[in-house]
Amino acid sequence: MATIASPSETSLYLNAFDKTIQYDGVMKTIDDDYWTSDIVPILYPMWDSDKDKLELFVQYKDGTSKMNKTKYQRNQKTGAFKWVSYQFDLSPFSDEITDMYNKVIEKWTEYRVGQENDLERALAASFSRTAIINWTKVTLIRNFLLMDSDWTQLGDAQLTTDQKAQWVTYRQKLRDIPADQKSIPANSVIFPVTPTKYAKMADSLDYLSDATHFYTIPQSVYSKFSTRIVNYLALAIGTIDIDEMPVVRISRPNSSIEPNTGDNTLDDILKMIDEGDFGE
């Protein structure tokens, strides 16, 4: 596992052995192909060669830099060759270091953006290849409906006392959906109509007291949420710090994908989606 520098002290940390780059606290493990095609040309041959290998480079936020290298050299007493680690003197190479620093950041940014775009495309494909409404989708739609009605709970919301009470009831019904309906198929889950819709119905029944005050999610309604679901899931993948180590974590109420610094996050998320249990 890569040794990660403290984000509070470093701007850029590059570990050539583990092919990891940490920039402004966000770490990426670079895949072999991208490392070979885009990172190696920046490092070779000035900073990394066959017999004088780069171990790590650190650019600190105070403007100083450090580079550790390992050299294949002969022991004068025994005649044996071995790899010896040492700190490379960077003082004569200020311009070259700046150039290398800028190029690495440029390629790191390109790699990160590519990963994020790949993630969004894969999430979109995962949701578009089936019209089946599973509990992942039900839960996320429930979350969106709660978000969209948050305004009703503000102190300055233009609602009567009775209207505000109805919105409280509506929001509680949404929260209760997993507990009340988890045993039934996701496509049979019923959602409460909003107090606004109830007012337009103009019936004499108390709010949410009749089956007509509930509805199931048809595919046409789900399709309106699909883009929002993809964006929500993409944003649910966050970079956090654990003991000053940036890692990727995806969480849900009763389980989570273990923090990792590798490239398996996308596969883990798609597996979670397939299991139909993503959301709060």
Side-chain angles (χ1 to χ4, degrees):
M1 181 177 179
T3 300
I4 309 302
S6 169
S8 63
E9 300 174 356
T10 63
S11 174
L12 177 70
Y13 175 95
L14 182 151
N15 187 314
F17 284 169
D18 292 331
K19 298 183 177 66
T20 56
I21 298 175
Q22 175 184 300
Y23 174 57
D24 275 351
V26 179
M27 191 273 285
K28 291 290 182 183
T29 300
I30 311 300
D31 66 56
D32 291 340
D33 290 342
Y34 192 86
W35 185 273
T36 300
S37 64
D38 291 77
I39 305 299
V40 168
I42 299 172
L43 306 177
Y44 188 89
M46 183 168 187
W47 311 112
D48 188 34
S49 64
D50 294 338
K51 293 185 178 180
D52 192 19
K53 293 184 176 298
L54 175 65
E55 289 183 329
L56 63 87
F57 168 74
V58 183
Q59 178 74 34
Y60 294 96
K61 290 184 177 180
D62 63 7
T64 60
S65 304
K66 181 178 75 172
M67 180 178 287
N68 286 353
K69 303 180 77 173
T70 182
K71 181 180 292 186
Y72 195 60
Q73 66 182 31
R74 183 175 181 269
N75 186 304
Q76 298 300 322
K77 291 183 178 181
T78 65
F81 284 86
K82 66 177 181 178
W83 290 100
V84 178
S85 182
Y86 70 99
Q87 186 167 327
F88 184 74
D89 181 13
L90 294 174
S91 56
F93 305 103
S94 59
D95 291 342
E96 292 85 352
I97 284 296
T98 298
D99 183 61
M100 185 263 281
Y101 171 81
N102 290 333
K103 288 179 178 177
V104 168
I105 290 175
E106 179 184 354
K107 290 300 179 180
W108 178 93
T109 302
E110 179 183 276
Y111 184 79
R112 182 183 185 184
V113 170
Q115 277 194 324
E116 291 173 351
N117 289 341
D118 287 346
L119 170 63
E120 291 187 9
R121 283 193 293 268
L123 288 173
S126 175
F127 275 84
S128 65
R129 66 173 175 251
T130 177
I132 297 173
I133 297 178
N134 61 22
W135 268 94
T136 296
K137 300 169 186 178
V138 167
T139 305
L140 289 174
I141 291 172
R142 186 281 307 261
N143 290 352
F144 297 148
L145 294 174
L146 282 169
M147 293 177 197
D148 293 344
S149 62
D150 281 346
W151 67 272
T152 66
Q153 304 307 297
L154 298 177
D156 59 353
Q158 299 298 304
L159 298 170
T160 66
T161 301
D162 287 344
Q163 288 172 333
K164 191 157 189 174
Q166 288 178 350
W167 280 106
V168 169
T169 300
Y170 167 78
R171 288 165 59 82
Q172 188 59 53
K173 278 292 185 182
L174 290 175
R175 293 191 183 95
D176 291 342
I177 284 174
D180 290 348
Q181 304 185 58
K182 189 67 174 182
S183 61
I184 67 175
N187 60 2
S188 298
V189 170
I190 58 172
F191 286 77
V193 300
T194 64
T196 303
K197 175 69 174 179
Y198 165 74
K200 293 178 180 179
M201 295 170 68
D203 64 26
S204 59
L205 303 172
D206 292 337
Y207 178 55
L208 301 187
S209 65
D210 188 76
T212 59
H213 299 172
F214 296 85
Y215 65 96
T216 58
I217 297 286
Q219 185 60 32
S220 59
V221 173
Y222 161 68
S223 64
K224 296 178 181 179
F225 282 99
S226 58
T227 299
R228 192 172 178 183
I229 287 174
V230 170
N231 292 336
Y232 181 91
L233 290 173
L235 290 172
I237 307 162
T239 300
I240 62 168
D241 285 348
I242 295 181
D243 294 333
E244 297 190 326
M245 281 198 347
V247 295
V248 174
R249 184 178 68 182
I250 309 134
S251 298
R252 59 185 176 187
N254 299 317
S255 64
S256 65
I257 294 175
E258 289 299 318
N260 68 82
T261 53
D263 295 319
N264 299 323
T265 304
L266 176 55
D267 290 339
D268 290 338
I269 276 195
L270 295 179
K271 179 180 178 182
M272 184 181 287
I273 291 171
D274 288 340
E275 292 172 353
D277 191 19
F278 193 110
E280 296 179 357

